[in-house]
Amino acid sequence: MIKSFIVYVVSFFALLVIVHFLQEFVINQTNSIIRFNLWDTNLFMAIASLMICVHFQVFSLVNSLKTQLGFIYLPTLFIKGVLFYVAFKDTVFNIEVLNTPERLSLVIPILLFLVLEVFFIVKIISKMGFKY
């Protein structure tokens, strides 16, 4: 289990670094203006996805929760969205109209962290022997 936690941390940190520096590079090359802190939003997404994976790894050890893991995962996207809104309502959601680079700077990392999160969740659930 410790090995799994290390894999999660390294994977999400690597994705965070890659996404952030690619965003910075593209923004600098296109002379775009982003009116919120990219590092903070990306870090939030990485930590939120990491925490979900860690919790699911722990939940998979509880026999009474094993059959419920799929149902437990369903509301996590909604909860992440609400927490993102609460954390960034004064910076991101205070901007009346987001320009295209700002929208892409939010959507692309959300999707990339979601893909990595779902990959690990599927691995956790498939280790328990359930078929999809």
Side-chain angles (χ1 to χ4, degrees):
M1 185 158 81
I2 299 293
K3 180 184 169 191
S4 297
F5 292 150
I6 292 171
V7 168
Y8 300 156
V9 170
V10 169
S11 299
F12 281 106
F13 181 74
L15 183 60
L16 171 66
V17 169
I18 291 168
V19 165
H20 181 71
F21 287 110
L22 279 175
Q23 281 180 318
E24 290 289 332
F25 176 76
V26 170
I27 288 167
N28 289 335
Q29 292 298 317
T30 60
N31 295 322
S32 300
I33 297 174
I34 304 295
R35 296 174 283 176
F36 54 86
N37 190 329
L38 283 176
W39 179 256
D40 291 345
T41 56
N42 291 339
L43 185 63
F44 174 87
M45 291 177 232
I47 290 174
S49 291
L50 173 65
M51 294 305 297
I52 289 171
C53 291
V54 168
H55 280 93
F56 269 78
Q57 185 67 40
V58 172
F59 291 162
S60 71
L61 300 175
V62 179
N63 286 332
S64 62
L65 293 179
K66 283 185 178 182
T67 58
Q68 303 299 319
L69 284 180
F71 295 112
I72 293 171
Y73 182 69
L74 288 174
T76 59
L77 187 60
F78 174 75
I79 293 168
K80 268 197 309 189
V82 169
L83 291 175
F84 185 81
Y85 174 77
V86 169
F88 296 103
K89 68 180 175 185
D90 293 333
T91 55
V92 175
F93 294 99
N94 218 13
I95 301 171
E96 286 188 31
V97 178
L98 294 174
N99 58 37
T100 302
E102 290 171 333
R103 288 180 189 162
L104 291 175
S105 294
L106 288 173
V107 171
I108 292 172
I110 286 172
L111 293 176
L112 290 174
F113 285 110
L114 183 63
V115 165
L116 186 59
E117 174 187 321
V118 168
F119 172 76
F120 286 129
I121 297 298
V122 166
K123 281 183 68 171
I124 291 168
I125 291 174
S126 65
K127 279 184 187 177
M128 295 183 303
F130 294 118
K131 300 286 183 192
Y132 303 105

